[in-house]
Amino acid sequence: MYYKDGVEFDKQTYKVKICPRCHNEEFSEDAEHCRICSLYLFNNCEGYLDEDEWGNQALVEQHANPSNARFCETCGRITAFYKAGVLTDYQSYTIREELPF
């Protein structure tokens, strides 16, 4: 099955070309967020926090994913678009695609 709920994205940078939430197509070249709805324009996984010996935490290991990925293919963590509700769970998507109308 092919999940067609993603949008076109740059295969080198993984930046979407159309906002999957509001469908805005106007972005500055260096934009990271949609100027209309504020969605982050990269479907990275949420990564995880790493802590050093002094208790300082830093976000590490975020991976770039295609725009229809609900979970990261590298680490299995949730992606930004799924967490933001832009993508439905795969069960809901499958049911919607199988409806005859």
Side-chain angles (χ1 to χ4, degrees):
M1 176 170 197
Y2 290 97
Y3 289 78
K4 302 172 190 146
D5 53 351
V7 295
E8 188 177 356
F9 64 97
D10 183 299
K11 297 208 183 340
Q12 291 181 336
T13 65
Y14 283 83
K15 181 178 178 178
V16 295
K17 296 182 179 182
I18 299 168
C19 177
R21 180 188 285 154
C22 72
H23 307 290
N24 174 39
E25 297 180 46
E26 284 188 292
F27 306 119
S28 302
E29 191 173 309
D30 59 344
E32 293 187 11
H33 295 268
C34 176
R35 67 172 79 173
I36 304 301
C37 72
S38 175
L39 185 71
Y40 189 55
L41 300 174
F42 301 87
N43 193 23
N44 294 340
C45 68
E46 66 182 356
Y48 66 92
L49 291 176
D50 192 23
E51 191 171 302
D52 66 17
E53 65 245 31
W54 298 283
N56 298 314
Q57 293 184 336
L59 184 62
V60 294
E61 291 294 324
Q62 283 187 303
H63 306 105
N65 288 275
S67 65
N68 69 345
R70 289 144 172 81
F71 296 93
C72 182
E73 293 179 310
T74 303
C75 68
R77 289 184 172 82
I78 194 168
T79 63
F81 292 171
Y82 187 48
K83 189 173 186 175
V86 173
L87 299 170
T88 62
D89 61 67
Y90 76 91
Q91 295 96 332
S92 297
Y93 179 85
T94 304
I95 290 168
R96 186 180 73 225
E97 288 300 303
E98 291 176 354
L99 293 174
F101 44 87

